[in-house]
Amino acid sequence: MDNDDFRRGKPTCHKVFGENIAILAGDALLTEAFVLLSHVEKVRLSAERRLAVIQEIAQAAGICGMVGGQALDVLSGKSVSDEGTLYEIHRRKTGALIVAAVKSGAIIFNARKDKIQALAEYGINVGLAFQIADDILNVEGDRELMGKETGSDAAHNKLTYPSLLGLDLAKEKLTNYIDAAVASLSGFDERARPLLVIASYIMERKS
Amino acid sequence: MDNDDFRRGKPTCHKVFGENIAILAGDALLTEAFVLLSHVEKVRLSAERRLAVIQEIAQAAGICGMVGGQALDVLSGKSVSDEGTLYEIHRRKTGALIVAAVKSGAIIFNARKDKIQALAEYGINVGLAFQIADDILNVEGDRELMGKETGSDAAHNKLTYPSLLGLDLAKEKLTNYIDAAVASLSGFDERARPLLVIASYIMERKS
């Protein structure tokens, strides 16, 4: 939908196979997730918890999550200029699926409600941080490392944290969200280390 | 994907809201099905049977069903001219979801395996009949009743049963599939009447 020609140095699906096949690839991947999740033979997990994971992922992918966030993004276009809408777009587009990913692991292993809530907070903060880092890289990233054109957001007049707040304030936001993500893991032991590493990676990534 | 401007007399989604929103509407509807199916609060049904229905519908919608059939249709384009491929396209595109609809009802009410199988056969035959009837209407249907342009398949050089076999043989196929659908219900009592009515409707429909 952003009509970009490259992703991570490779031509995008619609460039190689055409728009129809690209649309169907998205439909197929969305749907196959539920084929896999409902395949009771493949993974041992109670039907109740399996259903809870399906619900978590379906909600995060659908209207209240990724698809709804993308629609909000498309509809708001260039006319929106408030941080509330930008937050809502990113929370749904990027945050919701990351939240679902960390929550699903916790649901599968029957974690306590407060632990699941803490992981959800980690996910939403990491998701927003990831999106802001992405927007910052689109302004000042290295085209070679990124494997795609930079500056496309500005060229398309797209609303982003850097375009709304300027680079310095956007970087401050990024740091705040990463700090919040790390803080939400305070009640966990060293087994939460991979999540901390992911949070650091988002701050440091160059592509 | 057929780029038609009208469906049942109303402008198509991509005409009114643009391609991006039309794509997202499809993604949203595909995904919300699984949000609804996994909502355990709304309908009383055991988690096991609920999962079986989710699996049935996900498989019918995904690569092995609707999405895969549509992809096959797009990829084969004008180059295919054998009945086997045409059958496979329709079985997946139209048949699979109809099979899932009738099987899901049977799964929910814990029907016997042989009954579920008979209903699946009904579904596949009705699905193929529906598609052939659709193709025939595209050739000789009434534009007013249909609420869309007829003749678009021929204009797009699309492979259909009428274009492959001629109208007479296509109508014979239609009758054969309807007969097979009706025959598959022979082991059911009068409660299967609505399914027989649907089969008759497909033969008689004008739009």
Side-chain angles (χ1 to χ4, degrees):
Chain A
M1 290 186 191
D2 58 13
N3 229 358
D4 273 354
D5 293 350
F6 289 93
R7 274 292 180 286
R8 311 211 160 270
K10 295 187 177 170
T12 46
C13 188
H14 74 274
K15 278 282 157 185
V16 181
F17 302 104
E19 280 190 28
N20 285 346
I21 292 299
I23 293 167
L24 290 167
D27 292 340
L29 288 167
L30 263 175
T31 309
E32 290 310 306
F34 301 103
V35 172
L36 289 172
L37 286 165
S38 61
H39 247 290
V40 290
E41 298 80 13
K42 289 193 179 153
V43 182
R44 280 184 55 170
L45 185 63
S46 78
E48 283 77 12
R49 269 191 263 167
R50 194 180 290 268
L51 267 181
V53 169
I54 289 174
Q55 191 175 333
E56 202 64 51
I57 291 175
Q59 282 178 336
I63 293 169
C64 300
M66 178 183 66
V67 172
Q70 178 68 15
L72 208 56
D73 198 4
V74 167
L75 289 172
S76 61
K78 296 151 194 171
S79 63
V80 179
S81 57
D82 66 295
E83 204 182 326
T85 305
L86 189 57
Y87 173 90
E88 189 60 17
I89 290 171
H90 290 342
R91 186 189 67 76
R92 293 207 214 171
K93 255 181 76 171
T94 314
L97 274 182
I98 296 178
V99 170
V102 286
K103 277 180 81 178
S104 294
I107 291 167
I108 287 170
F109 288 99
N110 219 9
R112 276 185 359 225
K113 278 237 165 87
D114 61 318
K115 294 285 189 186
I116 294 179
Q117 187 51 38
L119 286 168
E121 271 164 41
Y122 165 85
I124 191 72
N125 283 301
V126 150
L128 287 159
F130 182 88
Q131 189 59 54
I132 296 173
D134 217 49
D135 291 347
I136 292 172
L137 283 170
N138 196 283
V139 177
E140 57 173 23
D142 184 319
R143 188 191 167 286
E144 291 289 312
L145 290 175
M146 308 259 293
K148 65 176 180 183
E149 293 297 335
T150 54
S152 62
D153 288 347
H156 290 115
N157 217 1
K158 200 164 150 47
L159 182 74
T160 64
Y161 279 91
S163 76
L164 185 67
L165 306 173
L167 264 179
D168 288 346
L169 263 178
K171 286 177 184 175
E172 202 180 305
K173 282 262 171 205
L174 169 58
T175 308
N176 291 346
Y177 281 125
I178 292 294
D179 289 348
V182 170
S184 68
L185 297 174
S186 61
F188 292 82
D189 63 23
E190 74 284 354
R191 285 173 296 175
R193 175 156 293 278
L195 298 180
L196 291 171
V197 172
I198 289 171
S200 311
Y201 166 74
I202 288 171
M203 280 294 283
E204 291 153 17
R205 77 194 180 100
K206 300 279 178 245
S207 69
Chain B
M1 289 185 190
D2 59 12
N3 229 359
D4 273 353
D5 294 350
F6 289 93
R7 274 293 181 285
R8 309 212 161 270
K10 295 188 178 170
T12 46
C13 188
H14 73 275
K15 278 281 157 185
V16 182
F17 302 104
E19 280 189 29
N20 284 346
I21 292 298
I23 293 167
L24 290 167
D27 291 341
L29 288 167
L30 263 176
T31 309
E32 290 309 306
F34 301 103
V35 172
L36 289 173
L37 286 165
S38 61
H39 249 289
V40 290
E41 298 81 14
K42 289 194 182 156
V43 182
R44 280 184 56 170
L45 185 63
S46 78
E48 284 76 11
R49 270 191 262 168
R50 195 180 288 270
L51 267 182
V53 170
I54 289 174
Q55 191 175 331
E56 202 63 50
I57 291 175
Q59 282 178 338
I63 293 169
C64 299
M66 179 185 65
V67 173
Q70 178 67 15
L72 208 56
D73 198 5
V74 167
L75 289 171
S76 60
K78 296 151 195 172
S79 63
V80 179
S81 59
D82 65 294
E83 203 181 326
T85 305
L86 190 57
Y87 172 89
E88 189 61 17
I89 290 171
H90 289 340
R91 188 189 66 76
R92 294 208 214 171
K93 255 181 75 170
T94 314
L97 274 181
I98 296 178
V99 170
V102 286
K103 277 180 82 179
S104 294
I107 291 166
I108 287 170
F109 288 99
N110 219 9
R112 276 185 359 224
K113 278 238 165 84
D114 61 317
K115 293 285 189 187
I116 294 178
Q117 186 51 39
L119 287 169
E121 270 163 42
Y122 166 85
I124 190 72
N125 284 300
V126 151
L128 287 159
F130 182 88
Q131 190 60 53
I132 296 173
D134 216 49
D135 291 348
I136 292 172
L137 283 170
N138 195 283
V139 177
E140 58 173 23
D142 184 319
R143 188 192 167 287
E144 291 290 312
L145 290 174
M146 307 259 294
K148 65 178 182 183
E149 293 296 336
T150 55
S152 60
D153 289 347
H156 290 115
N157 218 0
K158 199 163 153 46
L159 182 73
T160 65
Y161 278 91
S163 76
L164 185 68
L165 306 174
L167 266 180
D168 288 346
L169 263 180
K171 287 178 183 174
E172 201 178 306
K173 281 262 171 205
L174 169 59
T175 308
N176 291 346
Y177 281 124
I178 292 293
D179 289 348
V182 171
S184 67
L185 297 175
S186 61
F188 292 82
D189 62 23
E190 75 284 354
R191 285 173 297 175
R193 176 157 291 278
L195 298 180
L196 291 170
V197 172
I198 289 170
S200 310
Y201 166 74
I202 289 171
M203 281 292 284
E204 291 154 17
R205 77 193 179 102
K206 299 278 178 245
S207 68

